[in-house]
């Protein structure tokens, strides 16, 4: 634990950011990077204004609009009044308070959790917060990154700190090698299936083991992104050569002597030998299959060769009621094979799976094939830079040729705040992170999958093992 | 800005559901506001209204006396999912000042305190007892006394609960966190200047 000699990755980053420890154990924690977006910040800036406060560290803050901007025809402006007002409010606020901002037509614009790492704003060993629960994504770099509410956004803007108590340490180790065709998304869905949506509550999860070490940065970000779906305060992965290679050369990353200094500190961050965790969970990578959620929370997940489970097999009455409701909402029958479920919509994108690697994975499956008749398949790159890179590689054409829509970057159908929504009853294979009732549009039915499975489902017209399309 | 929370006696609404996520508390499409107020009408929108926007008569907050509920009793992992503070804002705007459940998702738990809502963790067994009390409606008011740290059942039974002393202090006095933290401004200045916190390798952000 904090203060003792043997420390975890979390302990080390935490200790380095404690400004003051109050008598009751609450800490004033310093925040290195604050990411701001249009939906959870207006009331925070208003609070500053009313109290006559300023932003303490504009140079540690970056703002971008992502949640409710349209993903087509953006240059014509935002047609929805309430969305436009939120974006205009953000633009006024960043101008008034001097906060750096990537405008919506700039290539740097994108989903806040995609652009942080992409720009080198998110760095190992730092504390990173944002008014968005998927801030856990940045933990893939070995940062302590977590989502906060709007009051805390205001708190960070005003003080560059938060009042926090240390979390408990949890280790999730994935040992061995993943089978071919199984991805980071399948790993994290398998983990949530095992520990449940509250399995990480009160803890910071450190992901370790050879299967995690073998992941590229995009895969690590997918895993950390969904730590919040297991209830964890944050997810972290120890920085290593893969991390350093990723960070080096990015626009806001340190360079030259500063980089050498940073690397010396970053190399000291991995958990010490013999570090103690409050909880440890171990998975065997070899046993992980391509995964798909069947119900309305991320722990309601099965392997693609699985079937819709029987709620009556549950011992607990509350859970029986909940699972029965899920089967009904999702329009399923008990025992139905997942691969028999026809798909209306495919959504590839989000902070979970909107990086270039995810789009390449989709294009590999789509190449030379066609989206099944009646299926609407959309690709929403995570940032302007991802979109530009995909276009430079020509994979936009592969996807368009196959019948996918190629759209502009944003959160899009992950949460349906912009015009990209499911209609009631529509069934969607989605690479996003939440399958809650109505998440992608009222009455919509979401199955969370990897980009490979989403692309394969678009081609097949139903949920399918992507390895059949390799 | 935040109202103090001291003692409350009121109607409790029973909501025997686990994993009530923040999308359920307030769907994302209602987050497109630049204000904190006025969200109560959208609280539990999909549970509360049908596709045509009519109230579902079987939903607890659409029934008397629970339309005036100030306390909500629920099951495990209340408030899981997104960090949206619109969830406590919607609860508060409806009139809910206290949520009692076996446990809460972390971010939601923090957000409630910032808005003068008291989240109380009690065992599932006790929550179920309170759920039964709540089902009695108007005649079964529940009292929550923060200073004493007790929930008082309609039959007079006093159930103690735990709470972080610092958060209790802020709630009882309606204190703003930022004001508290700014009392530590010299420590923040010192941290920024210190060798331990040397961040000279970290470039500032400018566009």
């Amino acid at each position: 634990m904090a203060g003792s000699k043997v420390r975890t990755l979390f302990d080390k980053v935490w200790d380095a950011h404690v400004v003051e420890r109050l008598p009751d154990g609450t800490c004033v924690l310093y925040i290195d990077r604050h990411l701001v977006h249009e939906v959870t910040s207006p009331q925070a800036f208003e609070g500053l204004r009313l109290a006559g406060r300023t932003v303490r560290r504009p140079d540690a803050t970056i703002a971008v609009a992502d949640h409710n901007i349209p993903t087509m025809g953006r240059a014509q402006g935002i047609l929805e009044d309430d969305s436009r007002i939120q974006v205009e409010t953000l633009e006024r606020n960043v101008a008034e308070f001097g906060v750096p901002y990537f405008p919506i037509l700039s290539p740097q614009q994108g989903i806040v959790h995609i652009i942080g790492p992409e720009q080198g704003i998110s760095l190992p060993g730092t504390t990173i917060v944002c008014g968005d629960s998927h801030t856990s994504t940045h933990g893939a770099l070995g940062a302590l990154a977590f989502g906060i509410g709007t009051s805390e956004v205001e708190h960070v803007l005003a003080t560059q700190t938060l009042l926090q108590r240390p979390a408990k340490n949890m280790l999730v180790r994935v040992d061995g090698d993943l089978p071919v065709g199984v991805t980071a998304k399948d790993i994290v869905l398998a983990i949530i299936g095992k520990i449940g949506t509250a399995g990480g509550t009160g803890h910071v999860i450190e992901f370790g083991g050879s299967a995690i070490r073998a992941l590229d940065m995009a895969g690590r970000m997918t895993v950390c992104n969904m730590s919040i779906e297991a209830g964890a305060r944050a997810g972290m992965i120890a920085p290593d050569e893969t991390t350093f290679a990723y960070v080096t050369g990015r626009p806001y990353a340190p360079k030259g002597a500063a980089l050498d200094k940073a690397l010396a500190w970053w190399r000291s961050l991995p958990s010490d030998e013999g570090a103690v965790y409050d909880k440890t969970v171990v998975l065997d990578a070899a046993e992980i299959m391509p995964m798909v959620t069947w119900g309305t929370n991320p722990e309601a997940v099965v392997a693609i060769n699985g079937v819709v489970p029987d709620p009556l097999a549950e011992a607990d009455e509350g859970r029986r009621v909940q699972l029965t409701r899920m089967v009904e909402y999702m329009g399923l029958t008990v025992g139905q094979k997942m691969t028999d479920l026809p798909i209306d919509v495919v959504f590839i994108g989000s902070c979970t799976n909107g990086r270039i690697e995810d789009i390449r994975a989709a294009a590999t499956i789509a190449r030379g094939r066609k989206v099944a008749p009646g299926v609407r398949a959309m690709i929403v790159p995570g940032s302007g830079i991802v979109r530009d890179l995909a276009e430079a590689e020509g994979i936009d054409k592969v996807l368009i040729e196959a019948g996918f829509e190629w759209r502009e970057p944003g959160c899009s159908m992950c949460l349906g705040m912009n015009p990209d929504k499911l209609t009631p009853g529509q069934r969607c294979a989605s690479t996003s992170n939440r399958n809650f009732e109505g998440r992608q549009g009222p009455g919509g039915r979401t199955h969370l999958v990897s980009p490979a499975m989403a692309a394969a489902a678009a081609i097949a017209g139903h949920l399918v093992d992507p390895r059949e399309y390799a | 800005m935040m109202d103090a929370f001291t003692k409350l006696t009121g109607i409790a609404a029973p909501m025997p559901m686990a994993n009530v996520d923040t999308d359920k508390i307030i769907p994302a499409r209602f987050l497109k506001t630049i204000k904190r107020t006025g969200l109560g009408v959208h609280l539990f929108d999909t549970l509360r209204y049908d596709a045509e926007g009519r109230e579902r008569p079987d939903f607890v907050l659409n029934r008397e006396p629970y339309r005036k509920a100030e306390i909500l009793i629920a099951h495990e992992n209340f408030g899981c999912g997104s960090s949206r503070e619109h969830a406590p804002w919607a609860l508060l705007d409806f009139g809910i000042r206290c949520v009692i459940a076996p446990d809460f998702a972390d971010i939601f738990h923090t957000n409630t305190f910032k808005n003068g809502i008291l989240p109380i963790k009690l065992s599932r067994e006790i929550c179920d007892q309170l759920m039964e009390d709540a089902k009695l409606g108007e005649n079964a008011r529940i009292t929550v006394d923060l200073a004493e740290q007790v929930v008082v059942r309609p039959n007079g039974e006093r159930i103690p609960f735990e709470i972080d002393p610092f958060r209790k202090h802020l709630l009882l006095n309606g204190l703003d966190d930022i004001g508290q933290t700014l009392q530590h401004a010299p420590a923040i200045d010192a941290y920024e200047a210190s060798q331990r916190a040397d961040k000279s390798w970290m470039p500032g952000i400018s566009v």
Side-chain angles (χ1 to χ4, degrees), chain A residues 70-79 105 407-408:
Chain A
T71 57
M72 276 295 193
R74 184 173 302 169
Q76 280 79 58
I78 302 172
L79 299 178
L105 295 178
R407 304 181 76 94
E408 293 164 357

Side-chain angles (χ1 to χ4, degrees), chain A residues 16 18 20 24 30 32-33 43 56 59 83 86 150-151 155 165 202 233 252 254 261 417 434 439, chain B residues 19 23 31-33 35 81 85 106 164 166 181 184 187 189 191-192 196 198-201 203 205-206:
Chain A
V18 173
E20 200 171 353
D24 73 339
Y30 198 78
D32 293 318
R33 295 293 195 220
Q43 298 85 354
R56 183 179 173 99
D59 67 325
S83 294
Q86 257 187 350
T150 298
S151 294
H155 195 282
R165 281 173 172 275
R233 287 208 197 162
Y252 292 92
K261 188 169 181 178
M417 284 192 72
R434 289 199 176 122
R439 169 80 177 179
Chain B
N19 299 311
D23 278 80
L31 310 190
K32 296 200 263 187
T33 171
K35 297 188 301 183
E85 201 158 311
D106 286 327
D164 179 300
F166 182 65
T181 301
H184 302 277
D189 294 339
Y191 175 88
E192 284 178 341
R196 180 170 64 92
D198 179 8
K199 299 184 200 286
S200 59
W201 54 268
I205 305 166
S206 63

Side-chain angles (χ1 to χ4, degrees), chain A residues 197 293 295-301 319 322 326 435-436 448, chain B residues 19:
Chain A
T197 53
T293 61
T296 54
N297 72 35
E299 76 178 53
V301 66
R319 274 192 60 79
Q322 199 189 4
M326 287 187 187
N435 50 350
F436 298 154
L448 302 177
Chain B
N19 299 311

